[in-house]
Amino acid sequence: MQKAILSLFLCLIVSSAIAENEGDTLRHYHISEVTVATSRTNAKLKDLPQKIEVIDQSVISMSPATNVADLLKSVTNLDIIQYPGVSSSFGMRGFSPSAHSRSYTLILINGVPSATTNAAAFPMAAIDRIEVIKGPLSALYGSDAMGGVINIITKEAGSDRANGQISLTAGTFGTQRIAADVSAPLTSASSFRLGFSKNEQNSNYRIGKRNILSQPELSELILDKKSFGDVMLNSKYTTHDFTGQINTRINNKWKTSLDVIYFGADDIETPGNYWGSYGQSKKDINRLNLAGNVSANYERHKLSLSPYFGSQNTRNYSNNSETGYVSLDSDIREFGLRMHDNIGLGFMNLLVGADVDVYEYRSDRFSGKGTPANPYQPDYNHRKIAGLVQASRTISQLQLNAGGRFDQISYELLANDMLNSQKGSETYNTFNPSVGIKYNLPLNFAIKASYGTGFSVPDAFKVAGNYSVSEYFPAWDFWWVKNYEGNPDLKPEKSNTMDLGLSFTSSNRFFSGDITWFKTRHDDKIVEYTFKRNNEQGEEITITSYKNADKSNHEGIELMGAANFGTLFDNRFKLELYSNFTFMLNYTFDETKADVTTTYDMLYVRKSNGSFGILFDNYNGFQTRINGRYIGNRLEKDSFSALRPNITADHYHTKGGYEAKDKILELPNHIVFDWSVYYTYAGNKRFGIGVSNLLDENYSEKDGYNMPGRMVTGSFSFLF
């Protein structure tokens, strides 16, 4: 299948190159002209050698997705772990998604840290576009950007005249949404924007009833045959958000802006899993993001100074009843300052910058209402001071960029009497370079290559921790105790990534395509291990610690292509066929136990991912889009063997280094379709119908957590 798709793709490129005709392309907007904010140099997409995907308003406005996680998984080839209850995390290019507070994929809001890895906790109404950069970006943004960066860019306040819109949506599963947005000038030199949205699902969702692709019996056993068309209990939620922005132009060179985003959700129901074996509970999420910017535009200098603050509080309850209490209360705070100067030197452009970032984690755990219990880990801080430089130069058809970033990272672990944890600290330095080259060939072809390194800092308790976690189980009259000890010699995880690509865009914009090969070596992976030691009383105890031991290798091919048949009819309409696929050629990691090294396939990484579809716009108010998402097979550990007795040892995956005793399942592949149709009347009234999971597929993004089946919504928007 992969060879067939690749052959067809290359044939399309060649045939388009031969058959293209020179048309008037200046009067039609093209995505390659977009300025990429994540580059920090305001470079155009067409001039960057790195692999970048931009999800603009034409895609966002046509998607039936209710949050950023649903949008991203349907149009980009990212790996996702997603649970009911507004929870998700992403990975890309073989880096497994993580459901924890840290990740290999960095999520930014307007170029600054977001204080979360949960893309499901981002509403759609305030978003202007999303930039997805695949590959390491630590040379620009530091830690946690090993796999790539997702930069969510919000709408800007308009300065010309007052405008806005209000949207109402209703549909299945008790779905109700309202969104309002207004933008207006305050004075001749300032403007503001205010937005609000509320999203409700007032009924438990129903799981899909069928599978489009032919599935073996094991696939039905994994999904559970009883789940087809069944209801996912305890899956209701309500979220709301407020966004605001103030822009002020001080003079013809200096301007300022302030962005505010608040996301809130109380009593989000969490089913635990399809069977409810982990207990039906609820949680609250409250996140605040503040970001300021002071910028100046001189002839040779473009200065930017961006202070930011982000915080997210999550409260998990013991159950979803009146007697439920907060069992875990956690806070994440990120704040700092981003500074850079884009210097025009005539023969090249130079970016010089400095970043100061602080990351703080705090948590409280309770065994009863108001009864403290020892937390799962101590509170800790990371402080990072970084300097960076990037140079870019264009020589005729050749574009070059190169640079690097030096980070000094300080870990601080706070004392905790309940954990018997002492205060500790460590410091680490790291340098990460990057280089890219792009050359424009004849016939509108271009070749590109890039290399970069990335890093991810370990949590402070893995470096400087020394504590014990205990919990009493009265039913068995048993104390569970686990002893932890940090490793001061622990190094950040590192990666090296090489990209090679070929792209093509016909002169009349009929066809555009891109093929990219990437290869990543991920070193110094942090793993948990145990050893024995006598305590002060002379008793032998087991200590859990951490070490840099494992490595992994990721290799794959990414294909993108789009053909707009409207260009063949003088652009009187748009009829676009598009596709975007990722095929993993290698996604393995090495693990050493007792001096024996075994190579395993990665968990949670799809063998292949893809999106494809057709979009029609008659440029007279009518738009419709059908989008398909192909979800490839993935491996997961069977955590529910007691709940699925029909799954036996014979069903477990015994390839890629695994044995039946490891209880690894190969989850099935799926295709999920979405459809939407909109009509704009009189230029300011928009009616729409959206259908998520059009063919009612039963699938999961995490084993045991079946996703919603077909959801139909109707919407009305009024623009003023």
Side-chain angles (χ1 to χ4, degrees):
M1 178 181 177
Q2 296 183 14
K3 292 182 179 179
I5 293 178
L6 178 59
S7 300
L8 176 61
F9 182 81
L10 292 176
C11 288
L12 283 172
I13 290 180
V14 174
S15 62
S16 297
I18 296 173
E20 69 169 18
N21 57 76
E22 299 291 336
D24 178 10
T25 63
L26 298 179
R27 58 193 176 95
H28 296 289
Y29 170 81
H30 195 257
I31 194 69
S32 66
E33 301 297 328
V34 167
T35 298
V36 180
T38 315
S39 69
R40 297 183 73 161
T41 59
N42 292 321
K44 289 184 178 180
L45 178 61
K46 66 179 182 180
D47 296 330
L48 292 170
Q50 285 76 20
K51 182 62 182 293
I52 303 171
E53 297 177 21
V54 178
I55 307 170
D56 65 358
Q57 271 298 310
S58 66
V59 176
I60 296 172
S61 64
M62 290 290 290
S63 172
T66 61
N67 57 60
V68 170
D70 288 335
L71 173 68
L72 286 173
K73 75 179 187 180
S74 66
V75 299
T76 62
N77 306 329
L78 306 182
D79 288 309
I80 182 174
I81 289 178
Q82 188 174 22
Y83 301 87
V86 194
S87 179
S88 72
S89 62
F90 281 100
M92 60 178 77
R93 287 189 164 187
F95 285 97
S96 296
S98 170
H100 304 292
S101 59
R102 306 297 301 281
S103 176
Y104 296 121
T105 300
L106 182 64
I107 298 181
L108 306 173
I109 302 178
N110 296 322
V112 299
S114 61
T116 187
T117 61
N118 183 12
F122 285 96
M124 298 279 287
I127 298 174
D128 177 64
R129 69 184 188 277
I130 302 174
E131 298 173 355
V132 180
I133 298 186
K134 296 181 177 180
L137 217 63
S138 290
L140 286 178
Y141 290 101
S143 181
D144 301 336
M146 291 175 67
V149 170
I150 298 171
N151 189 12
I152 300 170
I153 299 172
T154 57
K155 296 176 181 177
E156 282 198 29
S159 58
D160 297 335
R161 59 180 180 82
N163 63 85
Q165 68 174 14
I166 183 169
S167 300
L168 302 172
T169 303
T172 51
F173 311 141
T175 298
Q176 296 180 15
R177 296 179 215 139
I178 181 172
D181 190 282
V182 62
S183 176
L186 286 171
T187 67
S188 59
S190 63
S191 58
F192 78 96
R193 186 188 64 80
L194 290 175
F196 163 78
S197 69
K198 184 177 182 181
N199 185 19
E200 296 179 277
Q201 182 188 292
N202 295 310
S203 301
N204 295 318
Y205 69 75
R206 187 173 294 278
I207 298 167
K209 296 181 180 180
R210 59 183 58 86
N211 290 136
I212 301 171
L213 301 176
S214 177
Q215 302 286 359
E217 184 181 7
L218 175 59
S219 300
E220 293 187 356
L221 294 177
I222 292 173
L223 292 167
D224 196 319
K225 293 182 179 181
K226 294 181 296 185
S227 71
F228 286 78
D230 200 4
V231 172
M232 179 67 83
L233 298 176
N234 207 62
S235 59
K236 294 178 284 187
Y237 66 88
T238 299
T239 67
H240 54 272
D241 66 274
F242 299 89
T243 60
Q245 184 186 80
I246 295 179
N247 291 333
T248 302
R249 182 169 295 279
I250 300 173
N251 54 40
N252 62 349
K253 297 185 182 300
W254 288 84
K255 63 180 181 179
T256 66
S257 67
L258 175 65
D259 284 276
V260 180
I261 300 175
Y262 170 76
F263 175 89
D266 294 333
D267 298 334
I268 299 174
E269 295 184 349
T270 54
N273 52 49
Y274 166 64
W275 307 276
S277 61
Y278 287 169
Q280 296 177 351
S281 185
K282 62 182 179 180
K283 65 181 178 182
D284 305 332
I285 301 176
N286 289 279
R287 193 182 71 252
L288 176 66
N289 295 98
L290 302 172
N293 181 260
V294 179
S295 61
N297 191 349
Y298 287 89
E299 183 178 355
R300 292 183 176 271
H301 295 271
K302 294 182 180 179
L303 303 166
S304 177
L305 180 69
S306 301
Y308 71 91
F309 172 85
S311 69
Q312 178 168 292
N313 172 258
T314 305
R315 294 185 297 273
N316 293 281
Y317 289 79
S318 59
N319 58 61
N320 190 19
S321 70
E322 295 297 328
T323 61
Y325 58 88
V326 175
S327 58
L328 180 63
D329 190 337
S330 62
D331 284 286
I332 294 172
R333 294 204 307 169
E334 287 190 272
F335 55 91
L337 186 65
R338 297 286 168 102
M339 302 169 285
H340 64 253
D341 182 11
N342 281 300
I343 307 170
L345 299 177
F347 65 96
M348 74 172 184
N349 293 320
L350 187 67
L351 170 74
V352 179
D355 295 345
V356 179
D357 300 296
V358 179
Y359 179 97
E360 298 180 346
Y361 175 84
R362 305 287 185 269
S363 69
D364 293 298
R365 187 165 159 251
F366 303 91
S367 59
K369 188 170 291 187
T371 305
N374 53 15
Y376 294 114
Q377 62 193 43
D379 297 339
Y380 62 91
N381 306 323
H382 290 154
R383 290 181 171 86
K384 292 172 282 186
I385 300 176
L388 62 135
V389 60
Q390 290 277 331
S392 60
R393 186 179 182 186
T394 300
I395 307 172
S396 183
Q397 300 300 314
L398 179 67
Q399 288 106 29
L400 300 167
N401 66 38
R405 174 183 170 117
F406 176 82
D407 283 80
Q408 183 182 75
I409 307 150
S410 299
Y411 309 93
E412 182 184 20
L413 194 70
L414 305 185
N416 188 293
D417 293 337
M418 299 188 73
L419 292 173
N420 193 28
S421 172
Q422 305 299 313
K423 185 175 181 178
S425 62
E426 294 289 341
T427 301
Y428 187 82
N429 300 324
T430 181
F431 175 76
N432 289 272
S434 70
V435 61
I437 181 172
K438 183 176 182 180
Y439 185 73
N440 295 318
L441 298 167
L443 298 176
N444 292 323
F445 283 91
I447 57 173
K448 56 185 178 178
S450 64
Y451 171 82
T453 66
F455 75 99
S456 181
V457 298
D459 292 313
F461 63 86
K462 296 180 180 179
V463 178
N466 192 342
Y467 61 97
S468 298
V469 177
S470 61
E471 188 170 354
Y472 179 66
F473 294 89
W476 299 285
D477 190 24
F478 170 73
W479 276 96
W480 171 81
V481 179
K482 194 168 184 178
N483 304 292
Y484 291 90
E485 183 176 293
N487 178 4
D489 297 322
L490 199 64
K491 297 179 292 186
E493 300 183 20
K494 298 280 289 185
S495 70
N496 299 269
T497 298
M498 167 70 77
D499 283 30
L500 294 173
L502 173 69
S503 62
F504 169 78
T505 301
S506 61
S507 296
N508 63 351
R509 309 299 191 191
F510 166 66
F511 180 82
S512 62
D514 182 283
I515 178 171
T516 300
W517 168 84
F518 64 88
K519 187 171 185 178
T520 297
R521 179 185 171 94
H522 180 191
D523 291 316
D524 292 328
K525 286 194 68 178
I526 297 172
V527 298
E528 197 176 275
Y529 77 103
T530 60
F531 62 90
K532 303 287 186 180
R533 189 173 63 196
N534 290 336
N535 61 14
E536 295 178 354
Q537 291 75 34
E539 301 170 330
E540 186 180 69
I541 59 174
T542 300
I543 304 294
T544 298
S545 188
Y546 308 89
K547 62 181 179 180
N548 298 106
D550 294 346
K551 64 180 180 180
S552 63
N553 292 284
H554 319 153
E555 182 181 3
I557 293 177
E558 296 166 332
L559 301 175
M560 297 181 66
N564 179 11
F565 290 89
T567 61
L568 305 179
F569 298 88
D570 197 29
N571 289 292
R572 293 193 296 271
F573 58 87
K574 182 176 185 179
L575 178 62
E576 183 179 69
L577 275 68
Y578 60 87
S579 64
N580 186 359
F581 278 86
T582 297
F583 301 101
M584 296 300 301
L585 306 176
N586 185 17
Y587 51 108
T588 59
F589 70 96
D590 294 340
E591 185 175 272
T592 302
K593 294 180 179 178
D595 296 326
V596 176
T597 300
T598 306
T599 299
Y600 295 93
D601 289 339
M602 298 284 289
L603 302 181
Y604 305 114
V605 175
R606 277 76 170 174
K607 293 182 179 179
S608 54
N609 266 335
S611 61
F612 55 94
I614 183 170
L615 168 68
F616 176 75
D617 186 339
N618 72 348
Y619 295 146
N620 195 30
F622 179 79
Q623 297 173 304
T624 187
R625 174 176 175 262
I626 295 179
N627 183 80
R629 175 187 172 221
Y630 174 75
I631 309 168
N633 302 89
R634 69 185 188 274
L635 301 179
E636 289 195 33
K637 187 175 181 61
D638 183 9
S639 301
F640 308 112
S641 55
L643 302 171
R644 296 182 291 205
N646 291 326
I647 294 180
T648 66
D650 293 336
H651 292 118
Y652 289 126
H653 188 74
T654 54
K655 298 179 182 178
Y658 296 105
E659 300 177 19
K661 65 180 182 180
D662 297 318
K663 292 188 174 182
I664 301 299
L665 290 171
E666 183 174 31
L667 274 72
N669 53 1
H670 298 276
I671 294 181
V672 179
F673 284 96
D674 298 329
W675 173 69
S676 59
V677 57
Y678 291 94
Y679 179 70
T680 302
Y681 174 72
N684 65 346
K685 290 174 277 293
R686 191 177 193 231
F687 303 87
I689 297 174
V691 186
S692 300
N693 197 354
L694 177 66
L695 300 183
D696 210 21
E697 184 82 1
N698 184 356
Y699 73 105
S700 71
E701 308 290 4
K702 175 70 175 71
D703 185 28
Y705 299 85
N706 306 54
M707 289 285 100
R710 183 188 298 116
M711 183 174 72
V712 182
T713 57
S715 64
F716 170 74
S717 300
F718 178 73
L719 287 71
F720 56 90

